[in-house]
Amino acid sequence: MQPVSRTTRRHGAPPFTAAVLHGGPGAAGEMAPVAQELAARGHGVLELLQTEASIAGQISELRQQLETACAGPAVLIGFSWGAWLACLLAARHPARVSKLVLAGCPPFTAGHTAGIETARQARLQPAEWQELNALLHGSGMETAAGLAQALRLLEKSEACKPLPDLPRPAISFDREIFNRVWPEAAGLRRSGALLREAARIRCPVTALHGDHDPHPANGVELPLRKILPDFSFHLLQRCGHKPWIEDHARAVFFQTLEDKLARV
């Protein structure tokens, strides 16, 4: 991995035709394993870290990162919040994006969110659920031990059959970014503005979604299929929120990414 700046990491050799976007918001570093695996397969991939504490700021930062490190439009591979961010960038700056790949995307309509917390809670013991909520909504994730425990509990609540020996990346969590960006993003979803933005996208869009992901697949597939001119949806079997850590879905996930990158 070659750091170019505080917010841009290069994996593999140029040309850099793809970029991965982390979730959170504020969970910098969690997409490193995806970038590393694609680089090992011969692709030049950027890992872009968002540091701005507003949606407009993150879109502007992302545009600048791509303009600096990519000679032309890039394939954006966004995870969770990063999938929404990729959509917003493609809608507002279409010249920077050749394709979108959305992994573990949150639902685009508020009506599809009701069961997310229920699904997570059902996979944890009551004490674990209480601890996770305390970490997510308190200050515990600012410590290394607290962040590690929150990530462990989140994985237990969101994964299907994670590979036990797969190294987990070093993630830094920025509470201020999360507290400021996520309420703004949720507001865009409630108002319908998020879907209106997505309707402006004209590049090919592929969504990869686990059937065990607490985020309902219908909340991604149904709204986007109605508004996008070039959209494909892949429901990954026995797969949770992060396909690249899943025993049954990892190979299919990376093969699909390779297929998209091979046709740039």
Side-chain angles (χ1 to χ4, degrees):
M1 182 268 290
Q2 310 161 42
V4 176
S5 70
R6 185 170 63 94
T7 64
T8 302
R9 299 169 180 170
R10 289 180 174 176
H11 299 265
F16 295 97
T17 58
V20 298
L21 309 180
H22 65 74
E30 69 181 334
M31 284 291 278
V34 176
Q36 290 161 358
E37 178 64 24
L38 291 174
R41 296 173 181 230
H43 302 283
V45 183
L46 301 172
E47 180 193 352
L48 303 179
L49 312 180
Q50 267 51 66
T51 64
E52 296 294 326
S54 70
I55 291 178
Q58 290 205 3
I59 293 171
S60 177
E61 181 179 43
L62 176 56
R63 177 183 58 79
Q64 291 171 5
Q65 290 167 326
L66 292 169
E67 288 178 349
T68 299
C70 296
V75 178
L76 297 189
I77 304 166
F79 166 66
S80 199
W81 153 249
W84 279 6
L85 179 60
C87 287
L88 292 169
L89 189 283
R92 298 185 188 183
H93 302 284
R96 302 312 321 166
V97 185
S98 60
K99 297 177 184 178
L100 290 178
V101 179
L102 315 179
C105 189
F108 280 81
T109 62
H112 284 98
T113 64
I116 295 174
E117 293 303 289
T118 301
R120 287 190 179 124
Q121 184 175 2
R123 299 168 189 175
L124 295 174
Q125 296 298 318
E128 292 177 322
W129 178 245
Q130 185 176 18
E131 182 181 12
L132 177 59
N133 273 289
L135 288 166
L136 291 176
H137 301 294
S139 59
M141 289 174 65
E142 279 65 41
T143 69
L147 178 58
Q149 179 65 355
L151 291 172
R152 186 189 73 81
L153 291 172
L154 278 171
E155 183 172 302
K156 184 176 180 181
S157 71
E158 295 178 337
C160 183
K161 187 181 179 185
L163 290 159
D165 300 324
L166 200 66
R168 299 302 189 256
I171 298 174
S172 61
F173 177 72
D174 190 308
R175 172 74 63 183
E176 181 182 3
I177 291 176
F178 179 84
N179 285 344
R180 291 177 63 181
V181 173
W182 179 247
E184 187 182 359
L188 287 181
R189 175 168 60 190
R190 283 194 304 272
S191 70
L194 180 64
L195 264 183
R196 289 194 294 273
E197 291 270 4
R200 298 163 56 190
I201 297 170
R202 288 298 174 263
C203 68
V205 179
T206 299
L208 298 161
H209 206 92
D211 66 352
H212 193 73
D213 191 333
H215 302 82
N218 282 347
V220 179
E221 181 182 13
L222 299 182
L224 293 188
R225 196 172 291 287
K226 292 179 182 178
I227 62 173
L228 296 179
D230 189 347
F231 176 68
S232 60
F233 185 87
H234 301 265
L235 187 65
L236 303 177
Q237 302 300 313
R238 292 183 288 177
C239 175
H241 193 42
K242 295 182 177 181
W244 61 93
I245 71 169
E246 293 284 357
D247 184 19
H248 298 292
R250 178 180 168 87
V252 175
F253 173 71
F254 279 111
Q255 185 57 57
T256 304
L257 294 187
E258 283 213 79
D259 290 345
K260 300 303 174 184
L261 294 176
R263 300 171 191 168
V264 175

